[in-house]
Each structure stands twice: as structure tokens, then as C-alpha cells.
Amino acid sequence: AIQMTQSPSSLSASVGDRITITCRTSQDIRNDLGWYQQKPGKAPKLLIYAASSLQSGVPSRFSGSGSVTDFTLTISSLQPEDFATYYCLQYYNYPRTFGQGTKVEIK
Amino acid sequence: EVQLVESGGGLVQPGGSLRLSCAASGFTFSSYEMNWVRQAPGKGLEWVSSISSSGNHIYYADSVKGRFTISRDNAKNSLYLQMNSLRAEDTAVYYCARAPPIGLDYWGQGTLVTVSS
């Protein structure tokens, strides 16, 4: 199975900050990676697919980049509604695997 | 509007069985792969199983292989997860999710399964 290493596991930031979350895979997955946002008690929401494509309806402050084994999710200007946990998911092969999650908290 | 509604969760004793259902609407169910993903309390997301649009291709996580069975009824727009030989570590919220080639795009609200004596 493809191993996912997501970092950091948590971060504290202020409204307006730019933040970056990284996801590294144990083998080449081309660009078959998505990013998800999850708020407490809610289902995950797709933000980015194919490593860098913005899902419809997602604000443009979210962006993704990377390919092969190294991927990044960036939030350009953190908003109050962005405080949540973020996960990466590889869908290159089975079993699908998720990163461990990054909890973004208010500083 | 795409909707996925899970049901069937509850409290079950270790070694018991439970069948989860996911009712789909708002899209052509028979055209999409479907998945189950779970989340233990306070933990991260864990992929459980996938089934192709026709039902011909099925995959499982090692942690559930031989105990869980995924299935679908395209005529009823429904996805299922039969869970046998349940263990305490299967306690989680179980989500069904639609899976186009871009990953998992729509998720249900989840159903809680608690395995405890």
C-alpha cells in the first residue's frame, strides 16, 4: 500500500495568514491526489482534485500543487471558516490511502 | 442535487453483524464507483472498500477483508456494507462516498457503528 506522510499534524495560525500543508507519498502517484476539509461532526468536503484543480464552489484562496510524490495545499489568506482538519487522499491505486490529517487552529 | 444518506448503524456486540445502507439520489448511480470510508472517534479517515459501477470490481482494506462485503443494487440506487465478526476497533462513523475518476467527490453524513458489550 502507498504510504502517506502529511505534515504538520497541527498548526496555529491567525486570520489572514498564508499556510501550507504538505503530503508526501511513498511512490509515484502522478497527480492522483485530492485534498479534503473536515469540520467537527461533518463529512469531509473535497477542495482540490488532480493535485491542483479547484473543485467547483471552493474559494480561490485554496490552491494545490505538486506531482509524483510531493504535494502541497496552500490557503493564501486564512478565513475564520477555514479552521478545520485537512486530509490528503491518493486515488492512484487500491487500497486508497489518506494522510494522517492536519488540524488548523486559531492562534 | 447529489445526496447520499447512510443508515443501519447502531450498537452491536463483538462478533456480531450489521448491514449498512446508502441511498443515493440526484445523479446516475449506475455510472459511478462507490466507496465506504470510516472514521474512528477522534481519529483520521480510513478507506474501507470500493465497488465499481457494475459491481464487477471490488476492493477491501486489509483490516476488513474476509469480514466485510460491499454490494450495490443499481435498480434501487443503493450501496450496502455487510459487516460480520465485528470488533471493538470497527467502532467508527461510516461514510459512503461517490467516486468519479477524480477521487471521492460527494459524501454522506455518516452513520455511527459502535461495537461494545
Side-chain angles (χ1 to χ4, degrees):
Chain A
I2 295 175
Q3 306 303 312
M4 311 289 283
T5 303
Q6 185 175 340
S7 61
S9 56
S10 65
L11 66 90
S12 295
S14 300
V15 172
D17 283 354
R18 177 185 180 92
I19 68 164
T20 298
I21 299 168
T22 64
C23 190
R24 177 164 291 174
T25 61
S26 60
Q27 67 182 72
D28 182 355
I29 63 166
R30 302 181 308 190
N31 67 338
D32 292 338
L33 184 120
W35 289 98
Y36 295 81
Q37 176 193 67
Q38 188 180 34
K39 296 181 179 180
K42 300 294 186 182
K45 172 188 174 183
L46 176 64
L47 301 175
I48 301 287
Y49 63 92
S52 59
S53 296
L54 194 67
Q55 174 70 341
S56 175
V58 174
S60 59
R61 62 181 180 273
F62 291 92
S63 64
S65 64
S67 64
V68 186
T69 60
D70 291 283
F71 303 88
T72 299
L73 173 70
T74 298
I75 307 176
S76 60
S77 178
L78 207 59
Q79 297 303 299
E81 59 269 30
D82 301 336
F83 292 95
T85 301
Y86 294 83
Y87 295 91
C88 56
L89 164 70
Q90 70 79 16
Y91 50 90
Y92 176 75
N93 67 7
Y94 298 93
R96 308 303 199 206
T97 41
F98 288 91
Q100 299 89 340
T102 296
K103 186 173 185 179
V104 177
E105 299 175 301
I106 302 173
K107 184 183 287 184
Chain B
E1 178 194 6
V2 172
Q3 283 200 325
L4 298 168
V5 180
E6 301 93 338
S7 61
L11 175 64
V12 61
Q13 292 188 337
S17 298
L18 214 53
R19 189 195 196 206
L20 305 184
S21 299
C22 172
S25 60
F27 65 102
T28 305
F29 180 73
S30 59
S31 296
Y32 287 85
E33 174 187 305
M34 296 296 294
N35 285 234
W36 288 100
V37 175
R38 68 184 181 183
Q39 186 169 37
K43 302 296 185 183
L45 300 169
E46 178 188 17
W47 173 82
V48 172
S49 183
S50 296
I51 185 168
S52 63
S53 57
S54 64
N56 289 340
H57 301 282
I58 288 174
Y59 305 90
Y60 297 101
D62 285 346
S63 57
V64 307
K65 201 173 293 183
R67 300 186 299 121
F68 289 13
T69 301
I70 191 172
S71 63
R72 65 191 296 160
D73 186 335
N74 286 343
K76 294 183 177 180
N77 291 339
S78 293
L79 174 72
Y80 306 101
L81 187 68
Q82 176 67 43
M83 304 186 295
N84 298 332
S85 303
L86 283 161
R87 307 166 179 166
E89 53 265 37
D90 296 317
T91 294
V93 174
Y94 284 74
Y95 296 100
C96 66
R98 191 178 80 164
I102 61 166
L104 308 179
D105 63 350
Y106 285 92
W107 299 57
Q109 85 290 349
T111 187
L112 176 63
V113 172
T114 303
V115 184
S116 175
S117 55

